[in-house]
Amino acid sequence: MKFASRMECLQDKALLNAMELTETEDMISFSAGFPSPETYPVEEIKESFDQVLDREGKEALSYCSTSGFGKLREIIADRMKNKFGLNYRTEEVVITSGSQQALDMSSMLFINKGDVVLFETPSYLGAVNALRAYEAELVALPTDREGLILDALKKALDQYGDRVKLIYVIPDFQNPTGRSWSPERREAFVEFISDYEIPVIEDAAYSELSFEDKLEKPLSYYDKKGQVVYVGTFSKTFCPGLRVAWLCARENLMEKYLILKNAADLSSSAIAQRQMANYLMHNDLDAHIKWITGLYKERRDCMMVVIDREFPKEAHYVIPKGGLFIWLELPENKDSRELLRRAMAEKVAFIPGGSFYPSGVKNNELRLNFSNLSHDDIEKGMTILGRLTRAYLAE
Ligand SMILES: Cc1ncc(COP(=O)(O)O)c(C=O)c1O
């Protein structure tokens, strides 16, 4: 059979493999990007589904409007205003089937074959794949501890000119590094980019998973032009299985997004959306988030204790102040794929850092998920990984 040329751009199966590894028995896997299933509020969700089916069963089992269930969009717009100071009207919110769909739709909207997308690296594999599916040329922009490096952005804009069609960033507790942009860098970035007519996708998947009380203002907060498209999701704060997420864009862009959403799947699941709205009306999601961030913070701390105790001092990391990951850097002449090979033989897995670079040039880093494992597993798995790393670095 002949396949579309885009399939040649989609050869990296690291994400697929990582998702499968988490289901392998006996494996202590630090690979997943999942929240911890024990945090999913199963009883409340069950009750909420029951209520929806009792009260609005026919509507819930029907098609929904393409933009999504109105009440849910209204609650999301209010929530974003209260939490982040964002001013989106209900009409500027569309419900998507996971934020992955929002990334896919954004690629579909802006990218023709060979167009350039600038994005901070390392970056989320799912976004790399969504963009590659439209045959974009991915141009990596370096980051430092404050966020995207603006000099590098300027250079890339000068070099690629009109070919640049999109910028993709994750300013909060980034996947894979766990780092966040500083408020100064956020503001400076939006001011700088406002001189260009290039849309920016702000992926806020982890923005609410802060281990400190403070939430940073999103890029969209500083955006006066309607240039930033904001993508949020309930996958990390609630549960990923319902596939309820959202995209916010100003009216002119929203019209186009709705055409694409309609073509993609007509609408997101009506029952999942109504359940979500019902849950939000009768439960305190913020209290739930406070509980899960408390749990993840303890797991992060547990992982840091084992790293500090078991790993050689040449392995560096920055303490993540939220999110799900620790990003570990080995000396530049070492390859985390070799470490993975040895770790797998002892039933420990993680994702090698090279997978998070579109060109795969850097291979001395690794992503470790801490949200999804018990303290015992973190202790056991990281002790093994520490021993293997010590031996590998000594060679
Ligand atoms: C940065 C980022 N964006 C988007 C997603 C997709 O999430 P979902 O489609 O479940 O909303 C993920 C999932 O891991 C992610 O890490």
Side-chain angles (χ1 to χ4, degrees), residues 15 19 32-35 96-103 123-127 168-170 172-176 203-206 231-236 239-241 243-246 324-325 367:
L15 186 57
M19 290 177 98
F34 306 160
T96 58
S97 304
S99 52
Q100 189 65 34
Q101 185 181 48
L103 302 181
S123 193
Y124 169 52
L125 265 176
Y168 171 76
V169 292
I170 315 170
D172 306 290
F173 316 120
Q174 204 246 18
N175 181 1
D203 184 340
Y206 300 94
V231 177
T233 179
F234 290 113
S235 287
K236 313 294 175 181
C239 69
R243 312 303 297 131
V244 180
W246 63 96
L324 311 181
F325 310 108
R367 189 189 79 175

Side-chain angles (χ1 to χ4, degrees), residues 176-283:
T177 64
R179 294 194 298 232
S180 286
W181 293 23
S182 68
E184 295 76 23
R185 189 67 62 85
R186 289 168 194 245
E187 201 171 350
F189 168 81
V190 175
E191 198 188 322
F192 173 79
I193 207 65
S194 67
D195 286 342
Y196 298 80
E197 299 303 318
I198 301 171
V200 176
I201 304 299
E202 173 173 33
D203 184 340
Y206 300 94
S207 62
E208 295 188 52
L209 290 187
S210 172
F211 301 156
E212 295 169 350
D213 280 338
K214 199 164 150 263
L215 296 178
E216 292 301 348
K217 292 276 182 272
L219 302 180
S220 311
Y221 174 82
Y222 301 102
D223 173 31
K224 309 267 183 308
K225 264 177 83 168
Q227 188 174 11
V228 179
V229 173
Y230 180 95
V231 177
T233 179
F234 290 113
S235 287
K236 313 294 175 181
T237 51
F238 190 64
C239 69
L242 290 166
R243 312 303 297 131
V244 180
W246 63 96
L247 175 148
C248 306
R250 299 301 171 198
E251 219 170 311
N252 55 336
L253 275 183
M254 185 50 80
E255 269 175 36
K256 310 258 186 257
Y257 272 113
L258 289 181
I259 294 169
L260 292 172
K261 171 71 183 164
N262 189 272
D265 63 356
L266 304 181
S267 80
S268 292
S269 153
I271 191 166
Q273 293 184 65
R274 282 175 184 262
Q275 183 291 135
M276 196 70 230
N278 190 70
Y279 175 91
L280 290 164
M281 282 188 283
H282 298 108
N283 297 271

Side-chain angles (χ1 to χ4, degrees), residues 118 143 260 268 297 306 315 346 367:
L118 303 180
T143 47
L260 292 172
S268 292
K297 183 169 183 278
V306 192
E346 300 204 24
R367 189 189 79 175

Side-chain angles (χ1 to χ4, degrees), residues 315-330:
H316 297 294
Y317 67 91
V318 177
I319 302 172
K321 296 195 176 124
L324 311 181
F325 310 108
I326 286 185
W327 184 245
L328 202 69
E329 219 179 310
L330 305 179

